[in-house]
Amino acid sequence: MKKINGISKLLLLTVFIGLGGCSAEDGTDGLQGEQGIQGEQGEQGEQGIQGEQGEQGIQGEDGEDGEDGNANVIYSDWLDADWNSQDTPSSKIMRIPITEISQIELRNETLIYMYLRQWGTSSIYTMPSSGRWSDVFYSFTFGTNSVGFEGILVRLVTTDGGDLDELQYAAFRGNRFRYVIVPQSGQTSKLDYSNYEAVKAFYNLPD
C-alpha cells in the first residue's frame, strides 16, 4: 500500500507541474488578462487665423446719359402763308402767335429757327433766305419789346423795288413756314440747324 501511495503522489505531482507550465493562450480554461486603460482624447487645436480679404476691383465708369430726343422742343406744323399783319404788293408780314412760353423766355432763353417750303422744289430753306427766288427776301423776328407784339413775325419783301409775284407769297402756290423753338436744355453745338433734315431727325419731329 505504501508503494502505491508513493506512486500516486508522484503522478499528482507530475500533473500539477504540467498544469503550471501551460499558458492562458494554450489552455481553454486559462484566465484572460485585463484590458489596458484607454488613453484620454487630446484637446482640439485652435482655429487658424483667417486670411485678409482681397482688394475690391475698380468699378467701371458710368455710361453717358443719352440725349433727350425732343428736349421739350416746341414746333409747328407747316403753316400756310397768311399775311395777316401787312399785305402790300412789295411787302408782307405774317404774325404767328406763340402761347406755349412767355415772351421773355422766347426772347432770352430759346433758339428760334424758321424754315420755308415752296412749290416747285423739294428743297427746304432755312430763314432768313431768298428761297428759290433771287429778287425777294424772307426773314423773321420774335419776342421783341414792341407794344402789342407777341410771337413770331415773318416778313417778305422785294429786293429790286418791284411787286411780289404770287408764286413768291401765295399759300395756294405752296408757300409754307415752320418754326422750331429750342429751349436751353435742348441746345447743342453738334447740330447744324441750317440742315432741316438733321434737325428733324435729331429732335424726332414729325413731317
Side-chain angles (χ1 to χ4, degrees), residues 14-127:
T14 303
V15 169
F16 283 123
I17 293 173
L19 291 174
C22 294
S23 65
E25 294 177 357
D26 295 335
T28 57
D29 295 331
L31 297 177
Q32 184 176 0
E34 295 183 359
Q35 183 177 3
I37 300 173
Q38 182 177 2
E40 297 181 1
Q41 182 176 358
E43 296 181 359
Q44 183 176 357
E46 297 181 0
Q47 183 177 358
I49 300 174
Q50 184 176 359
E52 296 181 0
Q53 184 176 0
E55 295 182 1
Q56 184 176 1
I58 300 175
Q59 184 176 2
E61 296 181 359
D62 292 336
E64 296 182 0
D65 292 336
E67 296 185 16
D68 188 347
N70 209 296
N72 298 321
V73 168
I74 300 169
Y75 55 88
S76 70
D77 295 327
W78 284 103
L79 306 174
D80 287 342
D82 178 13
W83 310 109
N84 51 19
S85 287
Q86 180 175 311
D87 189 3
T88 70
S90 61
S91 178
K92 300 184 184 295
I93 298 177
M94 172 181 174
R95 176 178 171 273
I96 304 173
I98 303 295
T99 59
E100 293 89 345
I101 57 176
S102 69
Q103 293 302 298
I104 294 176
E105 291 174 313
L106 187 66
R107 181 172 62 249
N108 299 318
E109 301 177 13
T110 61
L111 297 176
I112 313 294
Y113 296 94
M114 290 292 302
Y115 299 96
L116 166 65
R117 173 179 283 173
Q118 297 184 308
W119 178 81
T121 175
S122 60
S123 298
I124 296 177
Y125 304 93
T126 304
M127 295 170 55

Side-chain angles (χ1 to χ4, degrees), residues 151-167:
I152 300 172
L153 294 181
V154 176
R155 289 187 171 88
L156 169 61
V157 297
T158 60
T159 57
D160 61 359
D163 291 343
L164 292 163
D165 189 285
E166 67 179 21
L167 290 173

Side-chain angles (χ1 to χ4, degrees), residues 97-197:
I98 303 295
T99 59
E100 293 89 345
I101 57 176
S102 69
Q103 293 302 298
I104 294 176
E105 291 174 313
L106 187 66
R107 181 172 62 249
N108 299 318
E109 301 177 13
T110 61
L111 297 176
I112 313 294
Y113 296 94
M114 290 292 302
Y115 299 96
L116 166 65
R117 173 179 283 173
Q118 297 184 308
W119 178 81
T121 175
S122 60
S123 298
I124 296 177
Y125 304 93
T126 304
M127 295 170 55
S129 171
S130 295
R132 60 175 296 194
W133 316 103
S134 61
D135 57 348
V136 299
F137 192 68
Y138 302 85
S139 63
F140 69 100
T141 57
F142 59 91
T144 71
N145 290 320
S146 301
V147 177
F149 173 80
E150 293 181 357
I152 300 172
L153 294 181
V154 176
R155 289 187 171 88
L156 169 61
V157 297
T158 60
T159 57
D160 61 359
D163 291 343
L164 292 163
D165 189 285
E166 67 179 21
L167 290 173
Q168 299 166 335
Y169 67 80
F172 73 90
R173 291 293 192 177
N175 290 283
R176 294 182 175 87
F177 303 94
R178 187 178 203 183
Y179 62 76
V180 177
I181 302 174
V182 185
Q184 291 178 339
S185 61
Q187 296 171 16
T188 174
S189 60
K190 301 177 182 179
L191 184 60
D192 179 8
Y193 287 94
S194 65
N195 185 336
Y196 173 76
E197 292 300 327

